[in-house]
Structures are given as structure tokens and as C-alpha cells.
């Protein structure tokens, strides 16, 4: 215990007081290293923030290593700073690999910029969504069907990039699907991962269309590994279904001239008499007495 007290006393109050400070400065390299170290401490979070931090730390440790080699001539100071420099270089290489430029088709770039980037999804995560699920861009010619009612199996999820799709059931028009909307979000939401089913509507291209498609089973495997991607797609699909329901609601009329609200099945109100007749096909519902 006495040795410990002696040590701490020597450390706190027993050391010699600096009565004569060194007059000459350490040199510009040492001060430059300190400046770069301070700049490195100002980095943010995320991949780009870490890349910023390690780049400035690497420059700082490089300058300190040069200072220890040329001015101080201290092997231990040089060795430690050189080791820290190597660690920073390894981290920079790793981060640069994570942020390397990823080349996508134009359709993938459009989907990322319009849908995933605003939600804060990085290119690294988007690359997993594309590559792991073998996503592909498919062209659908005019008047060709993406799905046929009662015949086409529900085995994929597709997002329209360009063109317009007409949705019909038993030959009756339901609604259109426009770019950046899912082609089969209701079908996706209606089935569990282990279930199989057939389309209950027909989807026909009114113009030449391009869409991005993922295989259903591949997506479920990806969701099992990355739960936040499952929540992300659930949010996107739910929002897409809601948009389709609202679009469908605007086209629903009954024979008596009342507008039927599909959100409130027991409530409907009369359409305004001065409304101009719409050229958009309407769904007419016959209310039984």
C-alpha cells in the first residue's frame, strides 16, 4: 500500500515542475498533424462520415510519423503512429469498397432515386435488394397481358417504371396502374409466404411498359435475413394498396346517382348535380332493396 501511495504521490505532486518551458516550437509538421486530427474529429456518422474521419486521421498520423522520424528521432513514437496510420488505411479501403460505384440499369436508377433514396436506403442496401433477389427489368408490349384472371400464378412482385397498365375483372374496367406503382400489391398482400394463388384480375398494357420484377420466394428469403427490409416493403405495399383503393373509390357509383364510399360501406352521398360527366369508365353498383 505504501508503494502505491508513493507512486501516486510521485505521479500527482512528486513530479518536477516545468519551470523552464521549451522556447522553440516542434515544427510545422507536428502542428499540421494536430490540425488534421482536429478536423478528423469533426466527422459525422454513416459511411461517408466514417470515410471523412479516417482520411483525416490517416493524414494526421502520417504527419506525426514524419515528425517522429525527422525531428524527434523517437522510434517508439514513430512506430505507434505508423501502426495507427496502417489501421486507418485499412479502414479507408474497407469503406471505399462498401461505397464503390454501383452501375445499375436506368430503370433501377430511376426506382432507387424515386422510391428508395427518399426513405434513406443506401446504395449498398439497394444493391442487396437487386442482386440477392435476381431482380430484372422486363418489357411488356402494348396490349400484352402481365396477368390473366384465374390463370396467372402469383409468384412475383413487380413495380411499373414506365407506361400504363389497365386492370379489369370479368372484362369490367377497375383502374389504371401508373409508373412507380406495384402491379400486384393486392395479390402479394393477400397471400402468406407459404400459400399459392392465382390472379383474380387481368392486367393489360395500354402502352409499351417497362417494369422491375422480383421473384416472390427470393424476396421472402431476403426478408427473413433482413427484417427491416420486410418492414420497408410492407410499408410500400400498404401505401400502394391504399392509393389503389382511393383511385377505385372515385369511380364507384350506384344506379340511383349516389357516390359509394368503399371505406364506409354503409355510407354514401349524392353526387353534385352540376358535375361534368366524366369520360373515365365507372363501376356501377346495384343496391338491392
Amino acid at each position: 500500500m505504501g508503494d502505491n501511495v508513493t507512486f501516486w504521490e510521485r505521479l500527482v505532486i512528486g513530479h518536477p515542475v516545468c519551470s523552464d518551458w521549451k522556447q522553440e516550437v516542434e515544427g510545422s509538421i507536428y502542428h499540421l498533424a494536430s490540425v488534421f486530427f482536429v478536423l478528423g474529429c469533426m466527422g459525422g456518422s454513416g459511411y461517408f462520415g466514417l470515410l471523412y474521419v479516417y482520411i483525416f486521421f490517416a493524414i494526421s498520423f502520417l504527419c506525426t510519423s514524419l515528425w517522429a522520424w525527422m525531428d524527434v528521432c523517437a522510434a517508439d513514437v514513430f512506430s505507434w503512429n505508423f501502426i495507427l496510420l496502417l489501421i486507418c488505411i485499412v479502414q479507408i479501403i474497407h469503406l471505399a469498397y462498401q461505397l464503390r460505384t454501383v452501375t445499375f440499369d436506368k430503370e433501377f436508377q430511376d426506382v432507387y432515386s424515386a422510391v428508395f433514396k427518399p426513405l434513406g436506403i443506401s446504395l449498398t442496401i439497394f444493391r442487396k435488394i437487386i442482386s440477392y433477389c435476381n431482380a430484372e427489368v422486363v418489357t411488356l408490349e402494348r396490349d400484352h397481358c402481365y396477368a390473366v384472371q384465374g390463370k396467372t400464378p402469383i409468384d412475383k412482385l413487380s413495380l411499373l417504371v414506365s407506361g400504363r397498365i389497365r386492370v379489369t375483372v370479368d372484362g369490367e374496367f377497375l383502374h389504371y396502374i401508373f409508373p412507380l406503382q406495384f402491379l400486384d400489391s393486392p395479390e402479394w398482400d393477400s397471400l402468406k409466404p407459404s400459400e399459392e394463388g392465382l390472379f383474380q384480375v387481368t392486367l393489360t398494357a395500354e402502352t409499351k411498359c417497362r417494369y422491375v420484377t422480383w421473384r416472390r420466394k427470393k424476396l421472402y428469403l431476403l426478408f427473413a435475413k433482413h427484417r427491416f427490409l420486410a418492414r420497408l416493403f410492407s410499408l410500400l405495399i400498404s401505401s400502394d394498396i391504399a392509393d389503389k383503393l382511393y383511385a377505385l373509390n372515385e369511380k364507384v357509383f350506384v344506379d340511383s346517382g349516389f357516390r359509394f364510399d368503399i371505406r364506409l360501406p354503409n355510407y354514401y352521398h349524392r353526387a353534385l348535380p352540376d358535375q361534368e360527366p366524366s369520360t373515365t369508365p365507372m363501376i356501377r353498383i346495384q343496391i338491392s332493396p
Side-chain angles (χ1 to χ4, degrees):
M1 185 67 180
D3 293 339
N4 291 336
V5 172
T6 303
F7 170 76
W8 285 110
E9 287 180 349
R10 187 185 307 116
L11 180 65
V12 178
I13 60 176
H15 61 81
V17 179
C18 297
S19 58
D20 187 16
W21 291 89
K22 186 178 180 180
Q23 298 299 320
E24 62 273 11
V25 296
E26 290 296 342
S28 59
I29 298 180
Y30 174 80
H31 293 288
L32 188 63
S34 301
V35 170
F36 280 119
F37 189 84
V38 172
L39 291 175
C41 292
M42 297 180 180
S45 59
Y47 284 112
F48 288 102
L50 290 176
L51 189 62
Y52 170 92
V53 169
Y54 283 115
I55 286 176
F56 278 99
F57 277 0
I59 298 175
S60 174
F61 293 135
L62 174 62
C63 292
T64 308
S65 299
L66 293 176
W67 168 74
W69 181 268
M70 297 187 299
D71 295 345
V72 183
C73 297
D76 53 348
V77 177
F78 170 80
S79 300
W80 278 111
N81 282 277
F82 188 75
I83 290 173
L84 292 173
L85 171 62
L86 294 179
I87 293 175
C88 289
I89 291 176
V90 171
Q91 290 290 343
I92 291 171
I93 294 174
H94 174 71
L95 291 170
Y97 175 77
Q98 295 293 326
L99 292 172
R100 70 188 187 278
T101 302
V102 182
T103 303
F104 295 122
D105 293 338
K106 180 181 181 302
E107 286 78 7
F108 288 137
Q109 292 284 2
D110 293 341
V111 169
Y112 174 74
S113 300
V115 179
F116 292 93
K117 187 176 181 180
L119 297 176
I121 303 302
S122 65
L123 278 173
T124 304
I125 300 300
F126 185 68
R127 183 172 66 245
K128 290 182 180 180
I129 298 174
I130 295 301
S131 59
Y132 186 86
C133 300
N134 297 329
E136 57 181 343
V137 179
V138 181
T139 300
L140 188 64
E141 298 296 336
R142 182 178 181 181
D143 294 330
H144 285 207
C145 290
Y146 171 82
V148 178
Q149 180 180 354
K151 295 182 179 180
T152 305
I154 305 171
D155 58 357
K156 53 190 174 183
L157 179 68
S158 303
L159 183 70
L160 187 63
V161 179
S162 63
R164 187 174 68 179
I165 300 289
R166 183 176 68 255
V167 183
T168 57
V169 56
D170 296 329
E172 294 291 334
F173 172 82
L174 285 182
H175 61 87
Y176 287 115
I177 297 177
F178 297 100
L180 301 182
Q181 289 185 328
F182 287 100
L183 297 180
D184 34 23
S185 52
E187 287 76 16
W188 173 277
D189 193 63
S190 65
L191 296 179
K192 296 180 180 179
S194 58
E195 295 178 339
E196 296 182 357
L198 301 175
F199 276 84
Q200 301 303 308
V201 293
T202 298
L203 281 69
T204 309
E206 283 211 337
T207 63
K208 183 178 180 179
C209 300
R210 299 270 288 175
Y211 61 89
V212 176
T213 184
W214 294 270
R215 307 309 299 182
R216 184 166 175 261
K217 292 183 178 180
K218 287 283 188 178
L219 271 179
Y220 279 125
L221 291 176
L222 179 66
F223 295 164
K225 296 178 62 176
H226 303 280
R227 299 301 302 171
F228 78 97
L229 289 181
R231 293 192 293 269
L232 171 67
F233 270 81
S234 177
L235 174 65
L236 293 174
I237 291 173
S238 299
S239 176
D240 187 80
I241 294 174
D243 291 340
K244 288 183 172 65
L245 287 176
Y246 276 106
L248 186 61
N249 183 69
E250 292 299 318
K251 300 175 177 64
V252 177
F253 279 88
V254 294
D255 288 338
S256 58
F258 289 88
R259 180 184 293 276
F260 182 79
D261 195 327
I262 61 175
R263 297 165 297 172
L264 304 171
N266 295 323
Y267 174 77
Y268 47 86
H269 61 276
R270 184 178 299 276
L272 296 177
D274 56 348
Q275 278 186 318
E276 296 182 0
S278 174
T279 57
T280 306
M282 300 292 181
I283 300 175
R284 305 182 66 84
I285 299 178
Q286 181 68 41
I287 299 181
S288 57

